Amino acid sequence: MDTTTDCTPEVLRTRMVDQIVGARATSAPVEAALRAVPRHAFVPEATLDQAYDVDLAVITKRSSDGTPLSCASVPSLVATMLDQLQVASGDRILEIGAGTGYNAALLAHLTGPTGQVTTVDIDPDVTAGARRTLDATGHRDVHVITRDGALGDPERAPYDRIIVTVGAWDIPTAWTDQLAPGGRLVVPLRWRGQTRSVAFTHDDGRLVSDSVELCGFVPMIGQDGERSGPIDADGQVMLYWDADQPIDPAVLQGVLDQPQHSVWSGVTVVANEPFDGIWLRLTSVEPGTCRITATPAAIESGRCDPAIPSRSPALVEDASLAYLTLRRHTDDGDERRWELGAAGHGPTGPELADRLCDQIRAWAHDRTAQPLITAYSAGDSDDQLPSTNTITKPCVRLTVVY
């Protein structure tokens, strides 16, 4: 390990936790765990400064093409998800995704000597590394198991808490079955091209949310529910959508060459102000919500100009498309402002742009509002679900309601 730094691990760890606590509300038990567990011991490939960088994920394994396969998550996100989990002393906990073992060590600190922590990962290299580091740091009581995380660990079920530290596109039935009534599941769940850390409570066979936070994670192996394809001849503009959506990129070929209809919402944001809540709102009412990306060449040519080129929400309906965009507005004193709007293409592009702007305005009315997300079993009949937009996955059906 490169230890090039002017500070000791203890000083750097204190600084990291102080930054996390200063930026967001963190529970006292989670703060104590972050101060107690030496993160640098779990990421020996990183420098001390990297190990205690509050906003740095440390990649610990890559595929042959460089794609990240495992990592130590950003410390600030680790704190957020542990707060969502609401661990109590003595809890039985299942973690899906062993990573470096750092999160399991934090969980062991939170549960105390009367608790039980099990961490599961499909990759034997990952579990072997986690086992070694957990042993070396005094966490020998943590159970480390190599198996498909979708299966959970029925041998030690039921669990009071389940936390998933890989990106999940679905919620396997085993997780719900192994979660005690009233227990909590925290999962980085992906739908309609965006990922949220959702804290669910197990309520009469259903999972009901009470906390939703923006996040990003290495995807879980074996859950291939997202589709993608270009909508231009050069492959410079891509769409990403879910398997349950009737989106066909072939039908959309050339849509961006059709006249653009721009609609402006009158809603403005300042630099670095998050507006991801618009995307979340769209998933609650618009079945055609998906993700659009555009290369620098596509933007420079004027073909496509999404608000965030690498990840912006879009609406698709048959051969028509609208996507979130923005334009420079005015300077408000020392603050630069941008107005949010939508660009529509195709026969119903103008209507889609209007509908997207409706959701921009709804978001602006209460920018911190969180939806109620409910995960029903895929086997539940339609009359058991509210009459709202339903997101269908193999194991669960989601509703997102504001």
Side-chain angles (χ1 to χ4, degrees):
M1 177 177 64
D2 182 354
T3 58
T4 303
T5 182
D6 294 331
C7 298
T8 65
E10 293 73 23
V11 169
L12 290 172
R13 187 159 66 252
T14 296
R15 183 184 300 169
M16 178 191 77
V17 180
D18 287 346
Q19 287 178 297
I20 292 172
V21 173
R24 52 179 301 284
T26 300
S27 69
V30 170
E31 179 182 346
L34 291 169
R35 294 192 187 280
V37 177
R39 188 172 189 260
H40 68 282
F42 293 87
V43 285
E45 303 87 354
T47 67
L48 286 176
D49 287 331
Q50 291 170 338
Y52 290 109
D53 187 325
V54 70
D55 290 318
L56 180 67
V58 177
I59 307 300
T60 56
K61 185 174 182 179
R62 295 181 183 272
S63 65
S64 57
D65 65 1
T67 301
L69 296 176
S70 187
C71 73
S73 298
V74 171
S76 55
L77 178 56
V78 169
T80 294
M81 294 180 67
L82 290 177
D83 279 335
Q84 289 181 299
L85 197 61
Q86 298 179 12
V87 177
S89 178
D91 275 349
R92 299 158 297 173
I93 300 181
L94 174 64
E95 178 188 36
I96 309 297
T100 64
Y102 175 63
N103 205 60
L106 293 169
L107 292 167
H109 189 279
L110 289 166
T111 62
T114 60
Q116 170 190 291
V117 177
T118 300
T119 186
V120 175
D121 202 287
I122 197 170
D123 189 330
D125 292 336
V126 170
T127 52
R131 178 75 277 165
R132 285 194 302 270
T133 311
L134 285 165
D135 288 348
T137 55
H139 299 92
R140 294 179 178 83
D141 290 339
V142 173
H143 301 283
V144 181
I145 299 172
T146 304
R147 69 158 55 121
D148 185 350
L151 302 175
D153 180 33
E155 291 85 352
R156 294 176 177 83
Y159 298 96
D160 303 298
R161 301 288 187 267
I162 298 178
I163 184 169
V164 184
T165 57
V166 289
W169 186 80
D170 198 0
I171 302 177
T173 303
W175 297 353
T176 305
D177 290 346
Q178 293 170 29
L179 186 62
R184 293 178 69 79
L185 166 68
V186 174
V187 54
L189 188 60
R190 188 168 185 82
W191 71 97
R192 304 311 189 232
Q194 44 98 61
T195 305
R196 306 282 166 161
S197 177
V198 185
F200 290 106
T201 298
H202 191 193
D203 181 10
D204 193 25
R206 296 169 183 170
L207 299 170
V208 182
S209 76
D210 61 21
S211 175
V212 183
E213 300 286 349
L214 182 67
C215 69
F217 272 87
V218 173
M220 186 173 179
I221 294 172
Q223 290 192 346
D224 184 24
E226 189 173 69
R227 307 289 184 258
S228 64
I231 59 171
D232 66 329
D234 301 328
Q236 296 178 355
V237 182
M238 296 283 293
L239 281 185
Y240 298 80
W241 68 96
D242 289 340
D244 66 306
Q245 295 177 288
I247 293 176
D248 184 353
V251 173
L252 290 162
Q253 282 292 320
V255 68
L256 295 173
D257 297 324
Q258 298 182 38
Q260 177 175 303
H261 180 82
S262 297
V263 181
W264 297 101
S265 67
V267 175
T268 63
V269 294
V270 297
N272 299 319
E273 181 179 358
F275 48 86
D276 57 277
I278 297 166
W279 200 335
L280 188 54
R281 277 190 174 274
L282 286 169
T283 72
S284 72
V285 295
E286 290 287 352
T289 302
C290 57
R291 176 165 67 105
I292 192 169
T293 67
T295 65
I299 296 168
E300 290 168 9
S301 68
R303 180 176 299 173
C304 188
D305 190 19
I308 300 177
S310 62
R311 58 183 191 285
S312 287
L315 299 181
V316 170
E317 193 172 78
D318 299 324
S320 298
L321 165 78
Y323 61 84
L324 182 69
T325 189
L326 50 74
R327 66 181 176 184
R328 180 73 175 273
H329 188 56
T330 58
D331 289 347
D332 184 7
D334 294 331
E335 289 186 319
R336 293 181 177 181
R337 287 193 166 271
W338 284 262
E339 184 179 8
L340 301 173
H345 296 266
T348 61
E351 179 188 343
L352 291 176
D354 284 337
R355 281 156 43 187
L356 201 160
C357 280
D358 286 342
Q359 295 310 309
I360 295 174
R361 298 183 190 103
W363 165 79
H365 181 70
D366 185 353
R367 301 188 183 198
T368 62
Q370 289 197 347
L372 176 69
I373 301 173
T374 305
Y376 299 83
S377 168
D380 285 351
S381 60
D382 289 344
D383 59 9
Q384 294 177 282
L385 277 67
S387 55
T388 186
N389 182 39
T390 302
I391 297 160
T392 301
K393 298 174 179 289
C395 296
V396 296
R397 301 171 74 186
L398 296 178
T399 60
V400 182
V401 179
Y402 280 87

